[in-house]
Structure formats: C-alpha cells, structure tokens
C-alpha cells in the first residue's frame, strides 16, 4: 500500500510509478487521504488564499481545427465575434474595481499581424488604465491566445503581459495526433512553451482528462511533463463532448464514464499538487460543467486559482468549447458573488488586489 502522506513533504516527489498508483486509487478512504494530503500541502505552502483571474473570452475566431473543440475553425454553426478594444478594456477595468488583481485574455488562435497589433494595444491600454493605489503595477495580465512566433510573444510581454496559458492537451505524441489535424503538431507547441519561459513569462499548461483512448500512464506522463518544463501554473479539466465536433461519436462512451472522469480530474489536481508542490493550479470551469460544486471541490483537492467569468453576457454563448458550459446567463457581478460564496463554503478566502504569482 502506497504511503500517500509522505508526499506532503516538499522534498518528497512521487516518481512515475507512484504517480500512476496515486491516480489509480479507487476506494473512498484512499481518495480522501490523497485529497487531504494535497490540501494540507497547499495550505502549508500557500495558505487558504484563492486567487481570482477575471476571464475575458475576447474572440472566438480561430484558425485551428482541434477535433474536441466547439469553436474549431470549421464549425460553421458558430457566430464569430471579436470584442472591441473598448469592451475589453472596460471588462478589465471592472475586474480592477472588484479587486480581482489579475485577468486572463483568452481567444481562439489567429496569427495575422492585425491580431498581434490589436492584442498589444489592449494590453497597453489595460495596463495604463488599471494602475491604482491598490494595484500599483496595474492588473496582472495573462494571455491565452495560442501558438505565436517568439517575436509576437516578446511584443506582448514588452507591452505588459506577464503570464501565458498554453495547454499541451496531451503530452503523449500518439494521443495528441489523434486529437488534432496533421498540421497542428505537438513539438512546436512544446517549443512555444519553452520560448515563453525564456522570454520571462510565468507559463501555464495543462491537459484534458478523460479523452478517448487516454490512459492513466498518459496522465502520469503529463504530470511529469509539467515538471520537466517547470510550469508555473496548471489548468486541467475533464474532457466534455461538444456535439458539432469530430469526437462527438464518442459521446455515449464518455457519458458512461462521466463519474470516473470527474473523480480522475480531482485526483489529477491532487497528484499534480503533490508532485509540483508550489505552483498555481486552477479549478477549471469544466469541472463545474460536470457537477454543480465541481470547482469548489477542485479547491479542496489542492487547486488555488479560479477564473470568474467576465466575458460580456451577450457573446458568452458563442464561446462554447463544450456542451453544458455553466454561467452563461449570469453577469460578471453575479459570477463574483456566486464564486465568493463557493470559495467560503470550502473554508477558503479570496486574495483581492494582488497578482498572486507562483509562490
Ligand atoms: N472539453 C473540455 N475542455 C476543452 N477545451 C477545448 N475543448 C474542450 C472540451 N470539449 C479546453 C482545451 C483548451 C482550453 C481553452 O479549453 O484544453 O486548451
């Protein structure tokens, strides 16, 4: 029987075999020991504080064609939108007023010059408008705009963004290839993460859990991959079928495993915490799509970041990466109140007016 508790120590890191064993735990008692160990480690290293990152999904225009994603370029049923600079800056300013401290600007992937210019201008203006006594360096800006050239990453960094999220989706080459068209390759994505690190970004990555054909070994390798690239932030969540995608034919198979996938997602958070120790881990929105209290449960398994929805309600329904995305109707104010209650319900507090970087 594996000694779970020993991984609470900062210098005790599970190896591949141990990660596989931890992810394979089945009995409620063992899963509770895993959860408790991850939570204890987090509380000791980082305290009770949860960081909010206001999420602005500013455009769903996308040139990628990922087989799992609802806003893939070839889904012609989607109404494509891009918020104006003023709308984006206003949403960011609202976050600053609420004391969120940090935002995420997320979009589909575009590699044209106009897009790079637009994002750069948004970053500069947000920085300009959100410097205050509470946050002297302005809002912390995280970007999640896909693979770009080193030059573009550098420009956005120079403009004031300091974190970048680029999920690897799966670090197993065969599985990655089964999820993407041949032009979208794993190696350039890994290179992009390295480039971002070199430039000086805090780098976030992650995978989807419960993908068709994915094994526990694949997930263990994903955690080792996070460690190998020295990720600062991790965002992971369950894979949820979107009906207008090539992977939709796995719908029944995925539905039959939904309870297992939810549990596995929670275990992934805990084991990632026990392996990576001090990083920021998000409780993803997709967890809440599966279960009403999914996000706050994620916090109890070792997550310490939540991304409240700030995308204007009128475009939110066009940013459906998967079916059943929660919080489609609530405005940003309602999301704020709802999440504050959810965080308090699991005995945690929200850290306002700070960037909340990796400790
Ligand atoms: N289910 C869950 N997560 C998804 N994403 C995209 N499509 C889905 C889906 N069907 C995730 C991907 C992407 C992030 C922005 O959203 O991991 O990187």
């Amino acid at each position: 029987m594996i000694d779970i508790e020993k991984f609470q120590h900062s210098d005790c890191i599970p190896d591949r075999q141990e990660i596989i064993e931890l992810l394979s735990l089945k009995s409620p008692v063992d899963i509770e020991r895993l959860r408790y160990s991850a939570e204890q480690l987090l509380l000791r290293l980082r305290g009770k504080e949860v960081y909010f990152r206001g999420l602005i999904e500013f455009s769903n225009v996308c040139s990628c064609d990922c087989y799992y994603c609802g806003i893939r370029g070839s889904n012609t049923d989607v109404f494509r939108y891009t918020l104006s600079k003023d709308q984006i800056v206003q949403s960011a300013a609202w976050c600053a007023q609420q004391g969120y401290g940090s935002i995420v600007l997320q979009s589909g992937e575009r590699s044209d010059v106009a897009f790079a210019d637009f994002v750069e201008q948004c970053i500069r203006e947000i920085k300009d408008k959100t410097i205050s006594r509470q946050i002297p360096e302005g809002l912390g800006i995280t970007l999640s705009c896909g693979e770009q050239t080193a030059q573009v990453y550098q420009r956005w960094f120079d403009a004031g963004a300091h974190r970048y999220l680029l999920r690897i989706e799966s670090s197993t080459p065969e599985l990655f290839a089964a999820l993407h068209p041949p032009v979208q390759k794993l190696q350039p994505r890994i290179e992009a993460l390295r480039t971002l690190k070199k430039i000086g970004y805090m780098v976030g990555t992650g995978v989807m859990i419960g993908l068709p054909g994915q094994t526990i070994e694949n997930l263990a390798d994903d955690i080792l991959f996070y460690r190998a690239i020295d990720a600062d932030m991790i965002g992971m969540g369950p894979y949820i079928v979107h009906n207008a995608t090539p992977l939709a034919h796995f719908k029944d198979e995925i539905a039959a495993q939904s309870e297992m996938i939810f549990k596995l997602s929670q275990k992934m958070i805990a084991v990632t915490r026990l392996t990576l120790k001090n990083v920021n881990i998000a409780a993803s929105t997709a967890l809440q799509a599966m279960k009403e209290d999914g996000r706050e449960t994620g916090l109890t398994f070792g997550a310490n970041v939540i991304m409240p929805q700030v995308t204007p309600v009128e475009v939110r329904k066009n940013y459906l990466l998967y079916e059943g995305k929660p919080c489609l109707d609530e405005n940003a104010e309602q999301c704020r109140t709802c999440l504050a209650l959810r965080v308090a319900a699991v005995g945690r507090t929200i850290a306002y007016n700070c960037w909340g970087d990796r400790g």
Side-chain angles (χ1 to χ4, degrees):
M1 182 59 220
I2 185 165
D3 174 3
I4 303 172
E5 286 74 15
K6 71 177 180 191
F7 300 117
Q8 283 178 40
H9 299 289
S10 297
D11 51 1
C12 186
I13 293 162
D15 62 21
R16 185 171 188 272
Q17 194 47 45
E18 288 168 324
I19 291 175
I20 291 170
E21 278 185 60
L22 292 171
L23 291 175
S24 306
L25 293 173
K26 287 264 152 22
S27 83
V29 173
D30 286 342
I31 293 176
E32 172 55 21
R33 284 172 58 205
L34 175 69
R35 186 206 67 76
Y36 181 79
S37 299
E39 186 181 48
Q40 286 304 302
L41 174 67
L42 170 65
L43 293 176
R44 184 166 54 74
L45 293 178
R46 304 294 293 273
K48 282 181 168 189
E49 295 194 322
V50 174
Y51 303 111
F52 271 9
R53 321 285 192 217
L55 176 62
I56 307 171
E57 294 152 336
F58 70 90
S59 175
N60 66 355
V61 178
C62 192
S63 52
C64 291
D65 223 3
C66 310
Y67 297 158
Y68 44 84
C69 182
I71 63 165
R72 61 201 302 267
S74 61
N75 184 359
T76 49
D77 293 341
V78 177
F79 173 80
R80 302 286 166 174
Y81 73 89
T82 301
L83 298 180
S84 69
K85 180 154 66 70
D86 284 353
Q87 283 176 306
I88 297 171
V89 174
Q90 264 172 29
S91 301
W94 183 88
C95 291
Q97 284 156 17
Q98 305 305 312
Y100 282 6
S102 273
I103 55 164
V104 180
L105 297 180
Q106 188 176 85
S107 69
E109 192 168 306
R110 269 175 62 185
S111 48
D112 51 287
V113 177
F115 181 72
D117 290 347
F118 177 71
V119 174
E120 180 178 353
Q121 285 163 17
C122 289
I123 298 166
R124 289 196 189 280
E125 198 162 323
I126 290 169
K127 275 289 176 192
D128 212 44
K129 294 241 159 78
T130 59
I131 291 177
S132 69
R133 203 156 40 81
Q134 285 85 4
I135 10 173
E137 292 179 278
L139 277 182
I141 300 181
T142 308
L143 299 177
S144 178
C145 308
E147 284 174 56
Q148 304 288 340
T149 62
Q151 288 77 9
V152 170
Y153 285 151
Q154 185 70 55
R155 274 175 62 192
W156 291 346
F157 186 78
D158 294 341
H162 86 291
R163 304 191 187 107
Y164 206 100
L165 302 178
L166 184 69
R167 285 192 182 178
I168 196 72
E169 316 299 359
S170 170
S171 63
T172 303
E174 301 75 37
L175 187 52
F176 187 95
L179 300 172
H180 301 97
V183 288
Q184 291 178 236
K185 296 200 184 305
L186 175 61
Q187 210 51 44
R189 212 163 170 87
I190 297 176
E191 274 317 308
L193 288 167
R194 295 217 174 94
T195 304
L196 288 161
K197 265 263 163 203
K198 234 181 270 160
I199 290 173
Y201 282 97
M202 295 238 156
V203 172
T205 192
V207 298
M208 285 172 288
I209 298 150
L211 290 160
Q214 188 181 47
T215 64
I216 293 288
E217 285 75 13
N218 296 154
L219 289 168
D221 289 334
D222 292 334
I223 295 179
L224 293 171
F225 172 80
Y226 304 156
R227 208 173 126 69
I229 62 152
D230 190 25
D232 304 289
M233 313 174 291
I234 306 296
M236 303 174 283
Y239 163 61
I240 301 173
V241 173
H242 187 291
N243 291 328
T245 57
L247 293 190
H249 65 276
F250 287 104
K251 198 174 176 179
D252 294 341
E253 192 179 310
I254 298 283
Q257 295 177 338
S258 102
E259 191 58 34
M260 184 280 287
I261 292 173
F262 183 77
K263 281 209 186 97
L264 191 52
S265 302
Q266 305 286 28
K267 286 191 277 184
M268 273 296 280
I269 292 178
V271 180
T272 300
R273 171 63 65 203
L274 293 174
T275 310
L276 273 71
K277 311 294 182 190
N278 207 359
V279 294
N280 280 335
I281 303 180
S284 71
T285 313
L287 284 169
Q288 194 180 330
M290 287 195 92
K291 277 212 172 106
E292 173 61 29
D293 63 352
R295 273 206 276 196
E296 51 273 33
T297 330
L299 295 177
T300 71
F301 274 74
N304 66 331
V305 169
I306 282 192
M307 291 154 63
Q309 259 297 353
V310 185
T311 309
V313 177
E314 59 274 18
V315 297
R316 234 181 256 183
K317 60 179 181 309
N318 302 312
Y319 204 90
L320 291 188
L321 308 181
Y322 48 81
E323 305 291 335
K325 191 173 165 194
C327 318
L328 283 185
D329 304 325
E330 283 109 78
N331 62 31
E333 179 65 47
Q334 288 164 323
C335 285
R336 174 188 200 266
T337 314
C338 164
L339 278 176
L341 290 170
R342 289 176 185 276
V343 169
V346 291
R348 305 277 282 281
T349 56
I350 299 161
Y352 287 109
N353 291 313
C354 64
W355 283 5
D357 285 334
R358 176 186 188 172

